[in-house]
Amino acid sequence: MNKLLKGTIKLSLALCIVSLTVQAKQPDAESLPVLKQDDVHQVVAKRLTNFFTQAHYRNFALDGAFSAKIFDRYFKMLDGSKAIFIQNDVDTFRNRQDSLGQELFSGNLKTAYDIYNLAMHKRYERYKYALKVLQSPMDFSTNDEIDFDREDISWPTTEKELDAYWDKRVKYDELSLSLSGKNENQIRETLTKRYKRVLKTIEQSNNEDAFQVFMNAFAREIDPHTSYLAPRKKRDFNSEMSLSFEGIGATLSQQDDYTVIMSFVTGGPAEKSKSIAVGDKIIGVGQSNSPIEDVIGWRLDDIVDKIRGPKGTVVKLEILPAGNNSKPKVIELTRDKIHFEDREAKLNIVDNPRGKVGIIDIPSFYMGLTDKVESLLLEANNAKLQGLVIDLRNNGGGSLAEVISLTGLFIDYGPVVQVRDNLQKVIVYDDKNKGIEYAGPIVVMVNRYSASASEIFAAALQDYGRAVIVGETTYGKGTVQTSRDIAYPTDARLHPNWPELGGVQYTVQKFYRINGGSTQLKGVEPDIEMSKTKYDDETGERFLDNAMPWDKIPSSEYLTLANIKPMLPYLKSEHLARISNNPEFVYIDQDIKELNDKKDRRYIVSLNKKNREAEQKIYEDRDLKRTNERLAREGKPPISKLEDLPKDYKQPDAYLNESVEILLDLVTKYPDIEVKKSIQQIISLDSPIKK
């Protein structure tokens, strides 16, 4: 993940929790809980340690040296921006760093909890300091700057150094609100609410919070894709893989101490009941056989846990309807299975002047994807398309089984991917189902965020000559993870009172292309780079500090279905000629060059209001000019300010539109590109046989 994105996420997590009323109670560190290990955490820690040390792909010794690495990563996860700890805080625990491995084996994680408790207090004191800074006069005329790239700096040596950073951090928040049009009183009110909300969240910390951060520090030190899934995280993970969960089908948000309904899932129990509306507040939750509990002031994730439950069961909600004079009411909803239809694969048919093209957007490799795409291909075949564009941009992967079966829809049969386990045994996964569901020309779109299963699919279609890959070099994740429950089958009988234990996801294999190469670190290089200028950022596996190395194995035996390489010079020349005269690609090139030129100052922000306003105006004027140029090309009237742009206006997707053109170049220049459905026909075309 690039540093700017990481910095934004950290800042959002730390600062951007917004509430709507100022609480009268002043923050007091005495109200902080003292976290300690739950009994069941000892069991979970020991089992996770056994999983990681015995079954992980990477062989490692959980000795003093590795323990020291866990120690450093734990502090990094607790304070990656070096904003709460000073060097002495770290040094205080340094004499215990080598013993973390033994604590993991024994399940006694005292050091981890001691460090987390200190982190809570330090973060709490920092936000109290931020509230104090808010009382000072606001001066946006100085030439101060704040640098958010703090990951690799040394720990501050004094609290005064931290004060200096937080002075700037609060000033950054103040200036951001000032630039949005708020006056000093409004700024202070907004930030006071925000910072006090953070303080209250810290006060609501629980033992599981500390446990999961430390266990993930251990997991991530082994490799970037190994993790402990706390019970709540495991449920979310299962929902992501199946695109479904069991509950009432409502999106919730926290405002002040209240849980507010923001939206409904179409067809879910909440929407169908007609008893609740967007804006209503949930102030109590109960089950069918238990009284309603008051949930005002609870953490949002704890409330969600109480509302979710198995299909067919009843949840009771005490609702405070939106409005000043409303009275609370109690409703009952029967939970159901909620499906995320908006995140399924979709087919969109585009009528280009040169021909009709199908676009299949695949956001992730979820369970059931192949069946969905098979139905979409039936629709595509009936539409008699010129070809197909498969969009894998921002697709971070998913199920290995799904990517193997999905690839099989586009090849007759043969190997799809090779994997090697920690015993160095290589297994070849084949598409065993003869026949091709779609035999026409294909372009596959990828970008730097296409990872894992996306890379397997793109690599397989590239190696078979089955598709032209366009876009950017992919992320470079060439490892396979498995997930498993921490609970043993006998636990329910032997320990009926235990809570959920959660799950674990860990690396068990590396995958390799059928040609023997690995996508690890290197990713899949496109046949055609979409932009003329490459964005020089730090996205990708190769930028992670403990990623596994690149290597290769022997090629598998497979038949190349078409020889695309001789076609690429023509496709590239047509592409370059087109984008040189395409205003959208001119914009993209300008933006990439500007970002690359500012690489050394990408995370430095001015705290001078005039400078920021001038910079803001430059970007606003540029965006307005580009928008009016787009509107003119579409035959629409210009606008005088960006706020006048209709909310449903969609900016052109230049990469997608160009992918369609590349596909049509392929079809026009090489009309016989269609893949033959039998091996005999393939061989008769004199296609090279790869062994």
Side-chain angles (χ1 to χ4, degrees):
M1 187 183 294
N2 69 50
K3 289 187 177 179
L4 182 59
L5 181 59
K6 285 195 288 188
T8 302
I9 291 172
K10 290 171 185 172
L11 198 60
S12 299
L13 289 174
L15 296 179
C16 298
I17 305 172
V18 182
S19 59
L20 300 180
T21 63
V22 181
Q23 300 171 29
K25 178 185 174 184
Q26 292 302 309
D28 183 358
E30 295 301 317
S31 59
L32 287 180
V34 177
L35 304 186
K36 58 184 180 180
Q37 186 171 342
D38 292 337
D39 291 341
V40 77
H41 285 154
Q42 184 171 26
V43 176
V44 175
K46 290 167 73 172
R47 291 184 182 182
L48 257 69
T49 302
N50 286 334
F51 290 154
F52 293 162
T53 55
Q54 296 177 17
H56 199 281
Y57 183 88
R58 174 173 263 163
N59 292 317
F60 67 97
L62 188 48
D63 53 17
F66 197 88
S67 296
K69 292 180 180 179
I70 298 172
F71 178 88
D72 289 335
R73 191 168 296 276
Y74 187 38
F75 270 94
K76 186 175 181 180
M77 290 177 72
L78 289 172
D79 185 22
S81 59
K82 308 287 199 312
I84 66 168
F85 289 127
I86 62 173
Q87 185 66 56
N88 186 60
D89 296 326
V90 181
D91 293 342
T92 297
F93 291 95
R94 186 67 72 181
N95 63 341
R96 296 159 70 178
Q97 68 175 13
D98 292 350
S99 65
L100 291 182
Q102 289 304 313
E103 291 190 13
L104 284 162
F105 278 121
S106 70
N108 180 8
L109 307 180
K110 185 177 187 313
T111 299
Y113 280 87
D114 288 346
I115 293 172
Y116 195 92
N117 281 319
L118 176 63
M120 278 198 311
H121 278 270
K122 298 285 290 192
R123 181 167 278 110
Y124 199 86
E125 292 302 321
R126 278 293 132 202
Y127 278 96
K128 284 175 63 179
Y129 179 80
L131 287 169
K132 179 181 174 183
V133 174
L134 273 181
Q135 309 310 312
S136 303
M138 298 181 190
D139 181 7
F140 302 133
S141 64
T142 66
N143 290 320
D144 289 341
E145 294 179 325
I146 185 168
D147 187 352
F148 287 112
D149 185 13
R150 295 171 58 86
E151 187 174 325
D152 297 325
I153 67 171
S154 300
W155 293 102
T157 56
T158 66
E159 296 290 342
K160 284 189 176 181
E161 283 184 59
L162 284 180
D163 288 349
Y165 170 69
W166 278 84
D167 289 342
K168 290 184 177 182
R169 187 155 155 173
V170 173
K171 189 174 183 178
Y172 169 83
D173 287 346
E174 292 171 340
L175 179 54
S176 297
L177 292 174
S178 179
L179 291 170
S180 72
K182 286 184 166 55
N183 61 36
E184 279 201 24
N185 288 337
Q186 292 170 322
I187 292 169
R188 286 196 174 92
E189 181 183 3
T190 299
L191 291 181
T192 297
K193 294 172 186 175
R194 183 185 298 180
Y195 296 163
K196 284 192 174 182
R197 182 67 212 169
V198 175
L199 290 171
K200 181 154 189 179
T201 301
I202 298 171
E203 291 172 4
Q204 294 176 329
S205 299
N206 58 44
N207 298 335
E208 181 65 44
D209 294 334
F211 183 73
Q212 66 175 302
V213 175
F214 179 68
M215 294 310 296
N216 276 309
F218 173 29
R220 298 296 165 80
E221 187 54 45
I222 306 170
D223 92 301
H225 308 292
T226 293
S227 57
Y228 160 61
L229 303 174
R232 183 179 291 129
K233 294 288 185 185
K234 185 175 184 299
R235 290 193 293 273
D236 291 343
F237 174 79
N238 293 339
S239 296
E240 288 289 329
M241 289 303 293
S242 64
L243 290 192
S244 66
F245 69 94
E246 294 182 344
I248 64 170
T251 302
L252 309 177
S253 177
Q254 198 157 46
Q255 297 176 3
D256 291 340
D257 287 336
Y258 291 99
T259 299
V260 181
I261 296 171
M262 303 301 292
S263 64
F264 297 118
V265 176
T266 303
E271 184 201 45
K272 290 194 292 188
S273 76
K274 307 299 182 186
S275 302
I276 50 179
V278 171
D280 288 354
K281 298 180 177 70
I282 298 174
I283 60 175
V285 181
Q287 310 308 317
S288 59
N289 57 352
S290 64
I292 289 177
E293 287 185 84
D294 186 298
V295 296
I296 296 175
W298 282 28
R299 287 169 31 148
L300 181 60
D301 48 9
D302 290 335
I303 296 172
V304 170
D305 276 353
K306 288 189 71 68
I307 293 174
R308 283 190 181 181
K311 175 181 176 181
T313 59
V314 173
V315 61
K316 295 183 291 189
L317 303 178
E318 186 174 5
I319 300 293
L320 184 63
N324 293 329
N325 299 315
S326 54
K327 294 182 179 180
K329 63 179 181 179
V330 175
I331 65 168
E332 293 188 358
L333 297 175
T334 301
R335 299 177 177 104
D336 201 354
K337 190 167 188 177
I338 310 300
H339 196 69
F340 299 125
E341 292 184 1
D342 59 326
R343 287 154 68 185
E344 283 187 320
K346 293 179 180 62
L347 171 67
N348 181 33
I349 295 177
V350 175
D351 282 316
N352 184 287
R354 298 166 64 194
K356 193 159 58 171
V357 173
I359 300 166
I360 294 183
D361 179 25
I362 302 178
S364 68
F365 284 82
Y366 57 88
M367 302 304 295
L369 171 66
T370 304
D371 291 340
K372 178 65 177 179
V373 172
E374 192 167 6
S375 68
L376 297 178
L377 292 178
L378 179 62
E379 187 180 339
N381 286 326
N382 290 337
K384 302 195 180 303
L385 304 174
Q386 293 284 85
L388 200 64
V389 173
I390 299 177
D391 189 351
L392 297 181
R393 289 176 297 174
N394 305 317
N395 183 323
S399 166
L400 179 62
E402 286 293 339
V403 71
I404 293 167
S405 58
L406 184 74
T407 305
L409 301 180
F410 303 99
I411 64 173
D412 190 8
Y413 63 86
V416 173
V417 64
Q418 304 183 86
V419 300
R420 183 167 65 182
D421 62 23
N422 60 353
L423 300 177
Q424 304 304 300
K425 179 182 178 183
V426 174
I427 302 171
V428 180
Y429 287 107
D430 295 305
D431 165 39
K432 299 184 185 301
N433 298 319
K434 295 195 67 172
I436 297 176
E437 298 302 319
Y438 180 80
I442 302 171
V443 163
V444 174
M445 297 181 67
V446 294
N447 66 5
R448 67 175 74 95
Y449 301 109
S450 304
S452 195
S454 295
E455 296 174 286
I456 294 174
F457 181 83
L461 266 60
Q462 189 177 54
D463 289 343
Y464 274 110
R466 185 64 186 87
V468 178
I469 312 300
V470 305
E472 302 173 293
T473 299
T474 58
Y475 188 84
K477 177 183 177 291
T479 56
V480 182
Q481 286 71 44
T482 188
S483 60
R484 61 178 293 177
D485 290 337
I486 294 169
Y488 297 155
T490 57
D491 285 343
R493 176 172 54 84
L494 297 176
H495 308 285
N497 296 325
W498 275 5
E500 291 181 76
L501 302 186
V504 60
Q505 184 177 10
Y506 58 102
T507 302
V508 291
Q509 297 166 323
K510 288 179 73 173
F511 69 75
Y512 299 84
R513 302 172 67 132
I514 55 177
N515 69 10
S518 172
T519 61
Q520 178 66 10
L521 305 185
K522 293 186 176 183
V524 177
E525 294 185 8
D527 298 309
I528 299 175
E529 288 275 1
M530 191 57 77
S531 301
K532 288 193 290 186
T533 306
K534 286 189 177 184
Y535 179 36
D536 184 16
D537 72 344
E538 295 186 357
T539 298
E541 187 91 357
R542 65 190 181 279
F543 294 106
L544 302 178
D545 58 9
N546 62 339
M548 293 191 186
W550 178 90
D551 58 359
K552 63 184 299 185
I553 61 174
S555 171
S556 183
E557 292 188 1
Y558 64 98
L559 292 165
T560 305
L561 301 181
N563 191 1
I564 284 179
K565 285 187 178 179
M567 310 173 192
L568 293 179
Y570 167 75
L571 297 178
K572 288 178 182 177
S573 65
E574 292 295 299
H575 164 67
L576 289 172
R578 230 179 350 258
I579 67 173
S580 296
N581 299 309
N582 185 322
E584 294 297 333
F585 277 91
V586 172
Y587 302 154
I588 290 168
D589 253 13
Q590 290 172 348
D591 292 346
I592 292 175
K593 286 175 182 176
E594 182 179 349
L595 286 168
N596 288 345
D597 289 342
K598 291 182 177 179
K599 183 179 180 182
D600 293 338
R601 293 183 57 83
R602 201 172 284 171
Y603 314 105
I604 298 174
V605 181
S606 170
L607 298 178
N608 180 290
K609 187 173 182 179
K610 286 186 178 179
N611 292 344
R612 289 281 296 280
E613 285 175 334
E615 185 179 273
Q616 190 170 286
K617 189 174 188 311
I618 289 172
Y619 288 120
E620 287 176 353
D621 289 348
R622 181 203 66 184
D623 291 346
L624 180 61
K625 179 175 180 291
R626 289 179 179 180
T627 299
N628 280 325
E629 288 172 353
R630 290 186 181 108
L631 293 172
R633 290 193 290 272
E634 296 170 13
K636 297 176 181 177
I639 57 175
S640 57
K641 56 184 185 298
L642 289 169
E643 289 76 12
D644 295 336
L645 193 66
K647 294 190 184 306
D648 60 350
Y649 178 78
K650 290 186 178 180
Q651 186 173 306
D653 187 339
Y655 288 172
L656 181 60
N657 294 339
E658 177 58 19
S659 296
V660 170
E661 297 295 342
I662 292 171
L663 177 67
L664 290 168
D665 287 341
L666 180 66
V667 173
T668 304
K669 182 73 172 178
Y670 304 99
D672 298 325
I673 190 65
E674 179 170 302
V675 173
K676 305 305 177 183
K677 292 192 177 182
S678 77
I679 294 298
Q680 252 347 98
Q681 288 174 303
I682 292 170
I683 294 174
S684 70
L685 289 172
D686 295 325
S687 293
I689 298 178
K690 182 76 177 177
K691 291 190 176 180

